[in-house]
Amino acid sequence: MARFDPYTLQLQVTRMFEQGQSFFATVKVQDWLKEHNQDPSAYNILFHEKPAPPGSGKTIAIDIELQRKDGQPVDAWLQQEVNRET
């Protein structure tokens, strides 16, 4: 069984949406980008709601999509890391 990490960005953003605080989710992702030495102003941040995985105890999960404003592809590692669940 995978170790549960309550501090992943994806889980924090999902919790914000569940609690009606989705307004702050963009700021949270921008802060996360800064911590990972990225320029937040270079990205559009989109959120996609999906059903939560079975057995998670949650009703929804939020996928975070990053799009570069200059049209270049987002680094695969960055997109994967922003949605890391464990």
Side-chain angles (χ1 to χ4, degrees), residues 4-86:
F4 178 70
D5 181 0
Y7 301 109
T8 64
L9 177 65
Q10 194 267 351
L11 186 58
Q12 291 176 28
V13 168
T14 296
R15 202 171 290 139
M16 287 177 171
F17 273 80
E18 288 176 335
Q19 296 172 353
Q21 299 176 349
S22 59
F23 175 79
F24 300 106
T26 300
V27 174
K28 185 74 166 173
V29 175
Q30 289 171 338
D31 289 345
W32 183 90
L33 286 166
K34 287 178 190 174
E35 291 171 7
H36 287 79
N37 300 318
Q38 301 293 316
D39 178 8
S41 65
Y43 294 92
N44 290 320
I45 302 166
L46 305 169
F47 301 101
H48 304 286
E49 186 175 322
K50 66 178 186 176
S56 69
K58 301 287 182 184
T59 56
I60 64 167
I62 302 296
D63 274 341
I64 304 164
E65 179 184 355
L66 299 175
Q67 295 178 342
R68 288 183 52 104
K69 291 181 179 178
D70 62 6
Q72 296 295 317
V74 175
D75 291 335
W77 70 268
L78 185 63
Q79 186 63 59
Q80 182 179 359
E81 192 64 20
V82 79
N83 283 303
R84 184 170 54 92
E85 294 181 12
T86 57

